[in-house]
């Protein structure tokens, strides 16, 4: 992902473009590892950890980035949400896997029928255990 795309995303969400915001967004756009703030800080050492946390919170609030909670390691993992997808989390290894291989329209239709709302997005986490690890 190039600098131009990250700038366009920040501008379209009304963010002032700063070195820190641009660096953090580009990092998330290019690292599909679902990093924690600490992991980002270890790679972007010229940005304080507090700034990384504050920026991530703003990105989450604005829907640019989502939080993935593995319910196991008590750390917040972050993901740039450029394309709709869901996450599969290994309960043993805590690995987070991106997946985009399902049709969300039946889910949206059911949600609309129950709530009467126009559904604008989703966040799904599926948990599992490798059969070899379950023995």
């Amino acid at each position: 992902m190039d600098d131009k795309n990250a700038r366009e995303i920040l501008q379209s969400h009304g963010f002032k473009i700063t070195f820190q915001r641009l660096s953090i967004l580009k990092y998330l756009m290019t690292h599909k590892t679902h990093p924690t703030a600490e992991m980002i800080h270890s790679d972007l050492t010229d940005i304080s950890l507090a700034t990384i946390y504050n920026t991530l919170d703003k990105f989450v609030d604005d829907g640019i980035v989502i939080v993935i909670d593995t319910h196991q390691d008590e750390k917040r993992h972050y993901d740039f949400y450029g394309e709709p997808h869901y996450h599969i989390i290994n309960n043993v290894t805590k690995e987070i896997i991106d997946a985009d291989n399902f049709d969300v329209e039946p889910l949206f239709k059911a949600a609309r029928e129950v709530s009467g709302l126009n559904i604008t997005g989703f966040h799904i986490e599926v948990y599992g255990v490798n059969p070899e690890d379950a023995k």
Side-chain angles (χ1 to χ4, degrees):
M1 206 53 66
D2 64 16
D3 193 66
K4 181 182 176 200
N5 290 342
R7 285 179 181 277
E8 288 173 358
I9 289 167
L10 290 174
Q11 287 175 331
S12 71
H13 286 266
F15 283 102
K16 179 180 175 185
I17 297 175
T18 64
F19 164 77
Q20 294 88 345
R21 288 178 182 152
L22 193 58
S23 296
I24 294 166
L25 181 57
K26 284 172 41 180
Y27 183 93
L28 288 168
M29 293 169 79
T30 57
H31 290 77
K32 301 300 180 188
T33 56
H34 309 98
T36 64
E38 291 80 8
M39 293 165 71
I40 296 169
H41 182 253
S42 72
D43 288 337
L44 302 179
T45 57
D46 52 344
I47 303 173
S48 75
L49 186 56
T51 298
I52 290 172
Y53 270 113
N54 290 334
T55 302
L56 290 170
D57 286 345
K58 289 176 183 174
F59 287 172
V60 169
D61 289 345
D62 211 63
I64 298 173
V65 170
I66 61 170
V67 174
I68 304 167
D69 180 4
T70 64
H71 302 288
Q72 303 288 327
D73 65 4
E74 299 180 14
K75 294 192 183 262
R76 298 176 83 188
H77 296 262
Y78 297 90
D79 189 24
F80 170 69
Y81 208 64
E83 296 293 327
H85 63 278
Y86 67 101
H87 299 100
I88 305 165
I89 301 169
N90 184 317
N91 286 339
V92 175
T93 66
K94 314 306 180 266
E95 177 186 16
I96 302 168
I97 303 161
D98 285 330
D100 61 1
N101 60 344
F102 78 109
D103 179 11
V104 296
E105 190 50 43
L107 176 63
F108 285 6
K109 181 179 179 201
R112 277 191 300 271
E113 289 173 2
V114 169
S115 68
L117 299 174
N118 289 326
I119 307 305
T120 60
F122 68 95
H123 180 106
I124 298 172
E125 296 170 359
V126 176
Y127 297 86
V129 177
N130 183 324
E132 296 298 316
D133 294 334
K135 293 179 181 178

